[in-house]
Amino acid sequence: MSVRNAIRFTHPLLPPLDKLQNTLKDVWQEAWLTNRGRQHDLLEVALKGELRCKNISLFCNGTMALLLGLRALRLQGEVITTPFTFPATVHAIQWAGLTPVFCDIDHKTLGLDPRRLEEAITENTSAILGLHAFGIPCDVEGLEAIARKHSLKLIFDAAHAFGTEINRSPIGNYGDMTMFSFHATKLFHTAEGGALTYRDENLTSELRLLQNFGILKEDRVTLPGLNGKMNEIQAALGLCVLEVLQEEVKKRESIAALYLSKLSETPGITCVRPGPGVTSSHQYFPIRIDSKARHSRDEIFHRMQEKEIHARRYFHPLCSRADCYSDLASASPGNLPEASIAAQEILCLPYHGALSEMDVDRVCSMLTA
Ligand SMILES: *Cc1c(COP(=O)(O)O)cnc(C)c1O
């Protein structure tokens, strides 16, 4: 089958080129390309409104945001996290000089299971880093209760959860800190980019130091900071993407409705949806293919590949299976039964506004046949 008939897994949201050109004209006029320019500050204000958060800092990418956020919280020792995530979550812990400890997830939320969390806490634990997998919130209240009880910091990777709300409460306002990724594959993006939202406003100055080489003023460097700044081109693109975001969300809503109606009666296939009161981030459309299905997840995935229908087996293999983490005691599959099942059963279907109804039909026919 020709590439023309390929169905892409994702498609970056591209604002009208002339809009971007107009914004870039302003950047050229200012002749200021990075280090907190006008576009950066405009995007910061816009995102504060969009995410309804008190404090926000922008970064060159989400991974750097998370790494510097962990540093700003001055954590030590062990950080409990989920194996069912993108490697960046765990890498950030490692790069911050901390030890990742894997804890199993909950079958429904696909996030850290509060019932399994306490057994992972030791005297060296300083924080919990959870993921809102596919934009589905983890049990934020359950995790907050345990963090409070043991005086641990609570951080969330919300790379998939831009715009998610729980009973109208924005996702970035749970825990101590939340990371958002603005990578091109994310619904809202700046090509590459990221942000942190956080409860303690005193962190703002620390994060600024950490993202700009630790330079406090011209003649004073106070800490070994990195280069984590968002530049003006990224911010300009982000401002233009914000303008077309709602249109894309509407398209994704109708695609989700098509998938839901076409797949509702298929034995062994469940659409994984956020619970009641949760606003979806429309980042991914995950389904679970269990043992009652006619074919296994991997069989379906490979048959789709042959037809150039590009789905993704997120998050297979689990981060605990990575060469750099598989020796950790907490990485043993016996410790992570639900995560291991999820990694075998979940398939994310193509999901973006450029899909036609015919595309959706073609995807579904691979699942229902
Ligand atoms: C995309 C993603 C990241 C990394 O973000 P970047 O902006 O690409 O650095 C981290 N965690 C998860 C779960 C992601 O999906």
Side-chain angles (χ1 to χ4, degrees):
M1 201 172 274
S2 76
V3 182
R4 249 188 65 228
N5 288 323
I7 297 181
R8 289 175 64 155
F9 175 63
T10 185
H11 192 288
L13 189 43
L14 299 173
L17 196 52
D18 55 343
K19 283 247 171 192
L20 179 61
Q21 276 164 340
N22 270 336
T23 316
L24 288 178
K25 264 188 206 144
D26 294 342
V27 177
W28 259 234
Q29 238 147 35
E30 306 251 349
W32 185 281
L33 294 185
T34 188
N35 289 67
R36 301 191 69 79
R38 226 171 82 77
Q39 306 300 318
H40 171 283
D41 289 354
L42 286 172
L43 183 63
E44 197 173 74
V45 171
L47 288 178
K48 223 181 215 185
E50 194 77 27
L51 296 169
R52 291 196 286 129
C53 60
K54 211 168 84 207
N55 306 298
I56 189 167
S57 293
L58 308 185
F59 294 85
C60 56
N61 61 58
T63 307
M64 184 66 88
L66 187 55
L67 162 59
L68 298 182
L70 296 173
R71 290 286 292 225
L73 291 170
R74 308 205 173 176
L75 306 177
Q76 287 190 320
E78 299 168 359
V79 175
I80 300 173
T81 194
T82 168
F84 191 69
T85 185
F86 185 68
T89 317
V90 190
H91 291 343
I93 296 173
Q94 188 79 20
W95 273 86
L98 303 158
T99 306
V101 173
F102 294 111
C103 172
D104 205 14
I105 59 172
D106 174 74
H107 186 85
K108 253 195 132 71
T109 67
L110 300 171
L112 284 174
D113 183 348
R115 293 164 302 182
R116 290 291 317 278
L117 206 63
E118 281 190 300
E119 68 191 77
I121 297 174
T122 72
E123 55 186 17
N124 297 321
T125 308
S126 63
I128 301 162
L129 171 53
L131 168 76
H132 303 303
F134 313 127
I136 298 160
C138 40
D139 180 354
V140 285
E141 276 159 22
L143 296 178
E144 278 182 339
I146 292 172
R148 217 176 301 124
K149 180 173 161 199
H150 295 270
S151 303
L152 304 174
K153 296 286 186 208
L154 180 59
I155 304 128
F156 290 109
D157 179 334
H160 301 173
F162 188 93
T164 295
E165 297 188 354
I166 306 172
N167 298 321
R168 305 197 166 223
S169 177
I171 198 75
N173 291 357
Y174 293 91
D176 296 283
M177 183 177 271
T178 298
M179 179 276 275
F180 294 90
S181 164
F182 305 151
H183 183 258
T185 53
K186 307 309 200 275
L187 173 64
F188 169 74
H189 74 93
T190 59
E192 293 271 7
L196 292 174
T197 61
Y198 39 93
R199 181 165 291 166
D200 178 5
E201 62 186 325
N202 295 318
L203 290 175
T204 303
S205 52
E206 182 83 357
L207 288 168
R208 258 181 220 181
L209 279 175
L210 282 164
Q211 73 176 177
N212 193 33
F213 313 102
I215 298 173
L216 182 64
K217 41 188 184 170
E218 201 191 353
D219 57 359
R220 183 138 179 246
V221 175
T222 61
L223 50 80
L226 287 170
N227 181 358
K229 305 181 299 291
M230 175 179 283
N231 69 48
E232 289 292 277
I233 317 264
Q234 290 173 297
L237 176 57
L239 285 163
C240 296
V241 170
L242 271 185
E243 287 184 32
V244 291
L245 201 61
Q246 280 322 304
E247 205 181 308
E248 173 72 8
V249 164
K250 284 211 189 83
K251 287 184 192 159
R252 291 191 186 195
E253 269 170 356
S254 61
I255 288 160
L258 282 175
Y259 274 138
L260 282 169
S261 73
K262 289 177 198 292
L263 298 175
S264 65
E265 312 267 287
T266 317
I269 291 187
T270 321
C271 299
V272 184
R273 305 299 292 162
V278 174
T279 319
S280 169
S281 67
H282 302 288
Q283 175 63 49
Y284 291 116
F285 196 91
I287 60 170
R288 216 180 233 281
I289 304 171
D290 65 31
S291 55
K292 290 185 230 55
R294 196 122 28 107
H295 304 281
S296 74
R297 190 276 312 265
D298 284 348
E299 279 165 3
I300 291 172
F301 171 76
H302 290 299
R303 284 170 56 205
M304 282 185 169
Q305 287 286 93
E306 280 163 24
K307 301 237 155 100
E308 297 198 74
I309 298 174
H310 298 292
R312 289 270 192 285
R313 289 179 290 179
Y314 289 147
F315 292 102
H316 162 84
L318 293 175
C319 288
S320 46
R321 300 323 303 151
D323 296 347
C324 43
Y325 304 120
S326 59
D327 286 343
L328 293 170
S330 62
S332 83
N335 184 42
L336 308 166
E338 282 297 344
S340 304
I341 295 169
Q344 275 170 36
E345 293 189 343
I346 301 271
L347 187 68
C348 288
L349 301 181
Y351 191 51
H352 52 82
L355 290 172
S356 67
E357 187 163 351
M358 242 164 63
D359 293 333
V360 175
D361 277 340
R362 263 181 71 203
V363 176
C364 292
S365 69
M366 305 295 299
L367 296 158
T368 52

